[in-house]
Every structure is written in C-alpha cells, then in structure tokens.
Amino acid sequence: MKIYRNINSLRKHIHRLKQQNQTIGFVPTMGALHEGHLSLLRKSRRENDVTILSVYVNPTQFGPNEDFTSYPRPEKKDIFLAKKENVDIIFYPSDKTMYSEEHCSFISVAVLSDRLCGRSRPGHFQGVATIVAKLLHLVSPDRLYLGQKDAQQATIVKRMILDLNFDVKIRVCPIIREKDGLALSSRNVYLNEVQRQEAPILYAALKKAKLAVKSGETNATNILEKIREIILTRTSGTVDYVACVDQTTLEPIQKITQSSLIVLAVYFGKTRLIDNIIVHPK
Ligand code: AMP
C-alpha cells in the first residue's frame, strides 16, 4: 500500500495506472475509519482494479463553532485498517497541500445546499463540493463511492457531477449500523453513556415511519410528528430537523405517493447525529 502526502507523487502514480488501463475506485473520507467506510472500500475493491482512499479532515466544510479541531484523527489505526482492506493507495494530504493561502475558488451547488443540514451548517456543502471536486480532479477515478448515511451530501455530489460533467460513476452504498441500529459515524465517540443508549431511538423512529408508509399512511406531516414525538419523549436529544423529501430535489413532500427520503438531524448535547431512511408507499 502506497501512502502519498503530496499531489505530484499521487498524480505520477495515477498516470501510470491510466497508462495500464487500470480502473480506479475512489473512497473519500475524513478518517477515523469504521465499518461504514470499510464497506465502501470493499465495494470499490470488488468493482475496480485499484482502490484509492483519501483521508482528509477538510476545514472548509466546518463552521467556526464546529468540531474541526477535535475531530478524531487516529492516523496509525486508519493506515492499519486500510492495509487490512487491501487498499492500494492512501492519499493523506495536509491543509497546506489542499489549500494554498491564496485559495479563493469554491463550488456551490445552489438550492440543494441550503436545504436540511445546510440551514444549520451554512457553507458546509460548499466546502464538501469544493473538496470532492478537487479530489476528483486529482484522482480521476472511474467510480466514486459514497455512503447513503450522508444522503444530502450524496445528492449534492451527484448534482455537481452531472452539472459540471465529471467523467465518473457514482455509487451510493447502504448505511452500516451498530447492532442496536445506530448508524456508524466517526462522531459517535463524542456521545456519553446515556446519549449512546438513547441514540438508537433515531433509527427505531425511522423504521416505524417506514412501516407506517408501507401500511398506507401517506400524510408526511403525521409521520414526521410521530418521529418527533418518539425522539422528544424517549431521548434527551433536541431535533434540528425531521423532513420527508424528494430524493433528487430534496424538496419537502406532503403526500407520499412515491419512494421518498425521510431525513433527520438531532443534537445530543453538542453532538449532531444524522440519519435517514427511504420509504416506499403501499
Ligand atoms: P466521512 O469520513 O464521515 O466524511 O465519511 C466518508 C464516507 O463514508 C461518506 O461517503 C459517508 O457517507 C460514508 N459513511 C459514513 N458513515 C457511514 C455508514 N454508517 N454507512 C455507510 N457509509 C458511511
């Protein structure tokens, strides 16, 4: 496994791979790898000759009062896990490598970025779109692997790829969960014992909603109210949002007549957890 920290050496290697007609799968992450990330790496390994992982805690997607400095960075463990998964290349850039002091170009995917998480995290998706675009230029993969866990992010990146004609196929992979249903996240380590016990209720509420839709409930307001009630009565969390939206436009849906996305964000103390589920009407 090769570890590159600078752009030129990564580019040289990728140039060689392209000359050999090797297909490249790319998994961008912020590290603190868990089974969710590993599932993307495994899928990429199955579908490509070469798998490239990037580990970069991207400062431009964090707000001023967010957890950029405290975000976990267990480099040795990440390298160990990547090796175990037979990753071919890790790209591990520094902030200086990714953003010069003069950097002033950003990509903004309008409208989609202002919805849902974008409301409480202004600028977040501009940071995400910019770093993903930069990484796609550097890696020029055949396939890009993202998790359904970050549903809005996947929607925005898909939009950007279409709008800006990136020559890459996008694969959105299922959410990997703990046994008790909590979606794996690098931020779960921030939860205290009580919060950790309560957090699986988010998925329990989403599953209940899915069942209600499957049984014939089409009124989104009723469903969302029920989810809120479950979270508010059974956890100490505060709801940032719970919404039922179109999977492509992220526009709110009132009557569920086609497969739709129910998304939520809940604060447990300062820790913000997100989760979602796709619901299918009867
Ligand atoms: P992150 O390191 O949190 O930026 O995530 C890197 C990639 O892993 C993103 O595409 C995430 O959607 C994906 N991911 C994170 N958590 C999970 C999970 N529990 N299941 C599947 N994919 C995940």
Side-chain angles (χ1 to χ4, degrees), residues 28-31 34 36-37 39-40 71 145-150 153 173-177 183-186:
T29 76
M30 299 205 298
H34 51 63
H37 300 117
S39 74
L40 307 189
Y71 198 86
Y145 295 83
L146 300 175
Q148 174 65 19
K149 161 81 186 347
D150 298 85
Q153 171 173 289
C173 306
I175 303 176
I176 305 297
R177 300 178 179 280
L184 292 185
S185 162
S186 307

Side-chain angles (χ1 to χ4, degrees), residues 112 115-116 155 244-253 258-261:
L112 294 179
R115 299 188 192 280
L116 307 172
T155 303
C244 180
V245 297
D246 178 273
Q247 289 182 80
T248 318
T249 64
L250 303 180
E251 262 177 57
I253 285 171
Q258 57 183 32
S259 296
S260 310
L261 185 68

Side-chain angles (χ1 to χ4, degrees), residues 77-91:
K77 189 177 167 206
D78 283 349
I79 291 173
F80 172 80
L81 288 173
K83 240 184 208 160
K84 218 168 125 200
E85 293 302 326
N86 294 311
V87 164
D88 299 281
I89 296 174
I90 307 188
F91 181 46

